[in-house]
Amino acid sequence: VVVARGLIGGLGFLLYYYTISVLPLGDAITLLSLNPIFTVIAGSTFLGETIRVTHVVAAVGSLMGCLLIAQPS
């Protein structure tokens, strides 16, 4: 488990630095700060936790903020 965590963590750091080097800094940090959305989905999928209305509201608010900051074409 520790080795798998080290490999996945190392891959995560490599992708983090690659994202920062390829995208503009504001867009990269905005996209990388969407981790809580993936945490809610993973918790529901793998742990069987319930998704509450507050989780959905926070996730939608985060996505809307991401869209407003990144301003995709």
Side-chain angles (χ1 to χ4, degrees), residues 11-52:
L11 179 65
F13 278 123
L14 287 174
L15 293 175
Y16 177 80
Y17 288 117
Y18 177 73
T19 302
I20 289 176
S21 69
V22 172
L23 294 175
L25 186 60
D27 294 346
I29 297 301
T30 301
L31 292 174
L32 292 171
S33 65
L34 293 176
N35 288 335
I37 294 172
F38 299 119
T39 303
V40 168
I41 293 170
S44 174
T45 304
F46 297 116
L47 300 176
E49 295 182 4
T50 59
I51 297 178
R52 298 188 174 132

Side-chain angles (χ1 to χ4, degrees), residues 41-66:
I41 293 170
S44 174
T45 304
F46 297 116
L47 300 176
E49 295 182 4
T50 59
I51 297 178
R52 298 188 174 132
V53 176
T54 55
H55 296 147
V56 174
V57 170
V60 170
S62 295
L63 285 174
M64 293 301 291
C66 177

